[in-house]
Amino acid sequence: MRRSWPYGLALLLVGVVLGFQIGAVVSGDPARRALRKLQEAFLIVQQRYVDPVDSARLTESALEGMLSLLDPHSVYIPADEMRRVQESFEGAFEGIGIAYELLPGPNGQDTIAVQSVIPGGPSEKAGLLAGDRIVAINDSSAIGFTHEQVQRTLKGPRGTQVRVTVRRPGVPELLEFTITRDRIPLYTVDAAYMLDERTGYLKLNRFARTTYREFVQALRQLRQQGLERLVLDLRDNSGGYLEVAVQVADELLGGRQLIVRQEGRRPEYRAAWYSHPGGLFETGPLIVLVNENTASASEIVAGALQDHDRALIVGRRTFGKGLVQQQITLADGSALRLTVARFYTPSGRLIQTPYHQGSRRDYYAEHWRRAARDVTRPVEEILAEVPDSLRYYTDGGRLVFGGGGILPDYLVPPDTLSPLVQAILRRNLDQRFVWRWFDQHGGDLRVQWEHREESFVKDYQPDSTVQQAFREFLEENGFRFEAGSEEPAALRFPEERWQADWHVLSTLLKAQLAVRLLGPRARYPVYQAIDSMLQEALRLWKPAEELAQRYRERLRKGRD
């Protein structure tokens, strides 16, 4: 693994839990007077209000109100939510190792349906299969459970046991399994595979403690498979740890180049991070996919690669979160996530979307309005409107801007789905049908395709039997297909629309089956066939290769 990092400094700057003295923070007479006023008001309400007061709830409301007047990303996190947050960013939790869905039942009595089991995890070892319905946990009915109840009963300390009762389609009697809970990894690399003999695809969903290790391992495996050029997918990646984003960017940049700089009011929050020679993929052609949900740490990576002309950025304008939060744990396990600095890309731009303090709703509403406007205009038109104060230039002299996310080099509008596909997805009918089909045919599908992911992706296609069954399922749910009818009217669609959309619909069904047969990662190689942004990116290798060639030349000149 690549060189070691000064983690002490990095963690201090970007979000470890720090202890501190109130007196060190609340300094000066005005601040002390305000704190005494708050304490006095709290005690008066607690002692004199006409009804008994929930002190904990009052305190949490006061904290939420206090932080709501700051920037949109400074927030209070209650103790129970903090446990889930820590699991997500530490990269593991302790439980039984399944992905599940709640299948709707009558009167809200949902059933826990096992979507997939984690390979090598406790549930697979115990014998659970995708498609199983968990109907009881420790002899108590689990029908009608909420997600919160599922988490509370199936998660638990490593080494403890839980007994589940399962209804398995095609098996008349109920089955019982005793599962010993274990540590379950939460992977941040959603997918890493070769699109063709030269082209690798790697998708990151966040930047957690384990991300750098996962990223390096995935990149090495792709290189062994012939990687010459890479698509890095950061769509819907909402961020995470700054220092992990720096590590990922460092593997993609050559020489000693600035990755990100941050500035805060206090000296300990001012720092800069640079790349080092010796990365795993420093000069090969690179395309980065982004969208309106690409934020924070993922924008650090995209911004550094764009400013150094290292990668072609493709997709839609990113969220625009240029603020650095420090997570400070309170005595009860809750936390303040407090903005302590701003970060700047190598060209010097602050990509934070403008905001007014205390106007969180307006901030997010403007983000979505801007995203809707962007997709109707070319990049050149958007850049032409940028004021001089927000204009910056990449190493190669290309114009970029600050003050509201990262604008891709190539804009790709959102997928335009037909009214029929939209109606099916809104009602979740693709997933509901696959559950029914898998209940009936899961055994045969396992015999033919289990552990054969590459063959499944290449060779399996939902046939005319599946097509007819899906159509009948849609008709059971109120859809009608009529030759020559006008499109659409109250779930009535022309016969031609059904035929035209079958390619998309069959791909959606195949992706759902892939998850149940082969696990969550298997959906990506299937879905890529109808992923319009990825398909558009694959037509842009010529400019990406030209960018990579110029980058290599600048690196060579820098060494001479």
Side-chain angles (χ1 to χ4, degrees), residues 2-3 5 246-253 259 275-276 279:
R2 198 139 173 216
R3 64 243 146 216
W5 280 81
V246 166
Q247 291 175 304
V248 168
D250 195 357
E251 295 296 337
L252 304 171
L253 289 167
I259 295 174
S275 65
H276 301 76

Side-chain angles (χ1 to χ4, degrees), residues 540-555:
L540 296 170
W541 280 119
K542 184 177 180 180
E545 288 167 354
E546 291 171 352
L547 206 60
Q549 177 61 32
R550 291 194 294 271
Y551 182 77
R552 286 193 292 270
E553 291 171 358
R554 283 195 300 275
L555 282 184

Side-chain angles (χ1 to χ4, degrees), residues 144-436:
F145 265 27
T146 64
H147 286 290
E148 183 179 4
Q149 289 172 304
V150 175
Q151 299 289 320
R152 190 171 63 244
T153 54
L154 294 183
K155 283 185 177 180
R158 182 180 188 178
T160 60
Q161 292 186 330
V162 60
R163 189 167 61 259
V164 299
T165 304
V166 163
R167 179 180 295 114
R168 178 167 294 171
V171 178
E173 69 274 8
L174 294 176
L175 305 176
E176 190 172 280
F177 299 91
T178 299
I179 305 171
T180 302
R181 298 181 179 99
D182 204 345
R183 185 171 174 82
I184 308 299
L186 288 172
Y187 295 109
T188 61
V189 173
D190 277 343
Y193 61 94
M194 296 296 289
L195 293 164
D196 57 40
E197 292 181 355
R198 302 175 55 205
T199 311
Y201 172 85
L202 198 158
K203 179 172 177 59
L204 288 176
N205 63 51
R206 65 190 183 283
F207 290 91
R209 294 280 183 220
T210 60
T211 299
Y212 177 61
R213 183 176 69 248
E214 292 179 52
F215 179 77
V216 166
Q217 182 180 2
L219 210 49
R220 284 176 174 160
Q221 289 174 347
L222 292 176
R223 288 180 62 179
Q224 291 171 1
Q225 297 172 49
L227 174 70
E228 296 178 14
R229 56 192 192 184
L230 176 67
V231 176
L232 175 62
D233 192 344
L234 297 180
R235 288 176 291 179
D236 301 316
N237 183 321
S238 61
Y241 291 114
L242 181 149
E243 75 272 19
V244 178
V246 166
Q247 291 175 304
V248 168
D250 195 357
E251 295 296 337
L252 304 171
L253 289 167
R256 181 168 173 79
Q257 296 186 302
L258 178 64
I259 295 174
V260 66
R261 172 176 61 86
Q262 72 172 38
E263 295 289 338
R265 184 159 59 100
R266 296 169 67 91
E268 62 265 34
Y269 301 131
R270 299 169 195 156
W273 288 264
Y274 292 82
S275 65
H276 301 76
L280 285 173
F281 195 73
E282 289 187 341
T283 59
L286 176 62
I287 291 177
V288 178
L289 303 183
V290 297
N291 66 6
E292 57 278 358
N293 296 318
T294 301
S296 192
S298 54
E299 290 177 290
I300 288 174
V301 175
L305 297 175
Q306 187 178 51
D307 283 3
H308 290 305
D309 294 302
R310 170 66 189 94
L312 196 70
I313 311 299
V314 176
R316 297 190 286 279
R317 195 195 304 206
T318 63
F319 185 90
K321 181 180 180 293
L323 304 178
V324 180
Q325 282 74 47
Q326 181 182 32
Q327 198 159 280
I328 304 167
T329 301
L330 304 179
D332 67 345
S334 62
L336 303 180
R337 186 174 288 170
L338 188 68
T339 297
V340 297
R342 297 179 177 87
F343 72 75
Y344 298 82
T345 71
S347 66
R349 51 183 169 151
L350 173 67
I351 55 92
Q352 174 62 41
T353 298
Y355 61 89
H356 299 288
Q357 290 183 323
S359 300
R360 222 165 257 179
R361 180 178 297 177
D362 292 343
Y363 171 74
Y364 287 103
E366 175 55 30
H367 164 72
W368 291 113
R369 282 194 294 269
R370 184 190 69 197
R373 289 195 305 268
D374 278 354
V375 298
T376 65
R377 303 188 295 164
V379 170
E380 294 75 17
E381 181 180 321
I382 297 172
L383 289 174
E385 297 176 355
V386 177
D388 290 345
S389 61
L390 295 178
R391 288 174 172 246
Y392 297 85
Y393 293 89
T394 69
D395 292 353
R398 296 187 301 149
L399 174 63
V400 290
F401 67 84
I406 293 170
L407 184 70
D409 304 309
Y410 286 82
L411 276 171
V412 180
D415 293 344
T416 303
L417 300 175
S418 77
L420 171 59
V421 176
Q422 290 183 50
I424 290 169
L425 293 178
R426 274 198 305 270
R427 292 161 179 79
N428 209 29
L429 294 177
D430 57 328
Q431 291 192 46
R432 288 170 57 189
F433 170 76
V434 167
W435 277 113
R436 176 190 286 188

